[in-house]
Amino acid sequence: MIHVLKHVESITQHRDRTLLELGVASALFELVKALEVNLYKVSQHGTENYLTRVTHVGDDGVRYVRSEFDGGDVATPLGERPEMVACVNETQIVRVHDTTRDAFVHCFPISVDRRVLGVLEVVCGAPLSSDELDTAEGFLGLYRNYLSLLDYSERDTLTGLLNRKTFDENLGKILMGLSASASNTTADAQTPPRRRQNEDGKHWLAVVDVDHFKRVNDQFGHLYGDEVLLLLARIMQQSFRHQDRLFRFGGEEFVIILRATSEDEVSVALERLRSSVEAYLFPQVGRVTVSVGYTGINSGDTIPDIVGRADDALYVAKESGRNQVSSYERLLASGKVSPREAPNSDIELF
């Protein structure tokens, strides 16, 4: 019992989602003497569910996704893991015998607010006993409760999108990762870095602002203004992939962080959002448009650098008639904006 409580104490110290997941997987690996423990996240593309492994603990070591913006392993269609179908679709605990490994695979659904967000997979040499199942379900319940608390603290209460606090934390992780990658490349240029999903791509940041939003509030009232923001958030969620991150930055301003292999890919995605908003008929209000400014995220950037460049592009989109998508890099190349001055010190003001 003392051993279990020490794991609980360790897990409950974490306020970081990644460390929480790693703590749960590591505790179960040790307590039930598992061969391996994996944590999968469930995402949806169209009508099909996909599984992405984000945490692994086994005799071969530990692997995990370090940031909300990393994709983890390559996403696998749920149908390719038949033992997990009932787990996800029916919210059932499933156990199967893997004859190729002579191991027993136990799948536990991770459900929050009646949605299955992931699957905890525990692989053992023998079926889990009743006590071990209780232990696994107990840690899973602890994990679910903490996920609910993290979601509450990380999400905007009106739209359900990630909030400004989460934006600062996760963009900081991206910049740290870029800095570490650049250091590794400099230290050993002859050794190629370990590749991850989409690592041949680049992160981009876009700022989305609702055009004439004050007019909406003044003419129709704040209740309809809030409805516009809520519906806009839904359009954004339908317009981007599960690995793209959407934030409400404040008021009528939103931020998107996405990964793409080219600027053209980014431009197409943002144009799709702009046209979807323009075509949508908002209740009572009617037509609403958005302006978008975006920029690339580079090693050596600071958060104010990145947001400032995107804001510069957004300003040009607004001044050019609104309902447009503008790229800072393309505006800079054409001479329509000036390079931003480098800070005079290492101090960053937020």
Side-chain angles (χ1 to χ4, degrees):
M1 177 61 73
I2 297 298
H3 199 42
V4 173
L5 291 177
K6 286 187 177 296
H7 281 292
V8 172
E9 179 186 14
S10 175
I11 290 169
T12 53
Q13 291 175 351
H14 298 312
R15 294 296 181 270
D16 180 274
R17 191 180 299 261
T18 299
L19 295 178
L20 173 62
E21 292 167 350
L22 182 60
V24 170
S26 298
L28 286 176
F29 176 74
E30 181 177 338
L31 291 172
V32 304
K33 303 297 187 289
L35 300 175
E36 62 179 272
V37 177
N38 300 297
L39 196 148
Y40 293 83
K41 290 195 175 178
V42 176
S43 59
Q44 190 172 39
H45 302 270
T47 59
E48 189 167 5
N49 284 319
Y50 285 77
L51 297 164
T52 306
R53 187 171 66 175
V54 295
T55 303
H56 167 81
V57 178
D59 291 332
D60 58 345
V62 174
R63 296 187 296 278
Y64 58 95
V65 173
R66 296 177 183 274
S67 162
E68 285 288 307
F69 299 92
D70 288 336
D73 291 346
V74 175
T76 302
L78 177 62
E80 293 185 11
R81 296 292 304 270
E83 72 277 15
M84 294 191 181
V85 172
C87 187
V88 173
N89 294 340
E90 308 295 334
T91 322
Q92 293 180 358
I93 298 175
V94 176
R95 187 190 73 198
V96 296
H97 183 211
D98 183 348
T99 55
T100 59
R101 293 187 290 175
D102 191 22
F104 291 84
V105 180
H106 307 77
C107 302
F108 300 84
I110 303 169
S111 58
V112 177
D113 295 332
R114 290 178 288 185
R115 295 181 300 128
V116 176
L117 304 181
V119 175
L120 177 70
E121 179 187 55
V122 182
V123 182
C124 301
L128 292 176
S129 67
S130 295
D131 287 344
E132 289 170 334
L133 281 171
D134 288 342
T135 298
E137 291 188 73
F139 274 93
L140 193 57
L142 181 69
Y143 174 55
R144 281 196 298 260
N145 290 340
Y146 263 72
L147 277 184
S148 296
L149 291 173
L150 286 173
D151 270 350
Y152 181 79
S153 66
E154 293 176 351
R155 294 194 178 272
D156 173 58
T157 53
L158 174 64
T159 63
L161 301 183
L162 296 168
N163 59 25
R164 172 64 189 265
K165 172 180 174 289
T166 310
F167 167 81
D168 289 338
E169 292 174 351
N170 282 277
L171 185 51
K173 288 181 180 180
I174 289 178
L175 294 174
M176 289 175 60
L178 289 174
S179 177
S181 178
S183 298
N184 290 339
T185 302
T186 303
D188 188 359
Q190 303 302 315
T191 303
R194 183 175 61 89
R195 295 191 62 181
R196 298 180 58 85
Q197 182 189 18
N198 291 334
E199 206 161 56
D200 55 338
K202 174 180 177 177
H203 287 104
W204 301 78
L205 180 142
V207 177
V208 179
D209 190 85
V210 182
D211 296 327
H212 301 298
F213 186 68
K214 184 177 183 300
R215 185 184 304 171
V216 172
N217 278 334
D218 290 345
Q219 184 174 350
F220 301 99
H222 289 275
L223 185 62
Y224 282 103
D226 285 350
E227 186 174 27
V228 167
L229 297 177
L230 178 59
L231 293 172
L232 174 58
R234 291 179 182 173
I235 295 171
M236 292 173 64
Q237 289 168 324
Q238 294 166 1
S239 300
F240 293 93
R241 304 161 301 183
H242 78 282
Q243 65 264 39
D244 301 326
R245 291 295 181 264
L246 313 176
F247 303 83
R248 185 184 178 195
F249 212 55
E252 70 273 24
E253 195 169 64
F254 298 81
V255 170
I256 304 163
I257 297 181
L258 61 159
R259 201 165 192 173
T261 55
S262 69
E263 183 168 355
D264 286 342
E265 186 181 343
V266 180
S267 178
V268 167
L270 295 173
E271 278 289 346
R272 182 173 60 242
L273 169 65
R274 185 203 61 77
S275 61
S276 295
V277 174
E278 183 183 26
Y280 190 85
L281 189 62
F282 290 82
Q284 187 68 27
V285 176
R287 302 294 181 187
V288 172
T289 62
V290 295
S291 298
V292 184
Y294 71 94
T295 187
I297 299 175
N298 307 302
S299 176
D301 279 342
T302 66
I303 294 176
D305 288 338
I306 301 162
V307 175
R309 293 198 303 265
D311 274 337
D312 287 349
L314 176 65
Y315 178 81
V316 172
K318 292 279 191 182
E319 289 297 299
S320 301
R322 295 181 168 82
N323 193 24
Q324 297 182 27
V325 176
S326 293
S327 158
Y328 175 84
E329 281 74 15
R330 290 173 178 173
L331 291 170
L332 183 64
S334 64
K336 294 181 179 179
V337 296
S338 301
R340 295 182 64 83
E341 293 184 5
N344 295 323
S345 71
D346 294 331
I347 299 175
E348 297 177 18
L349 301 178
F350 295 87

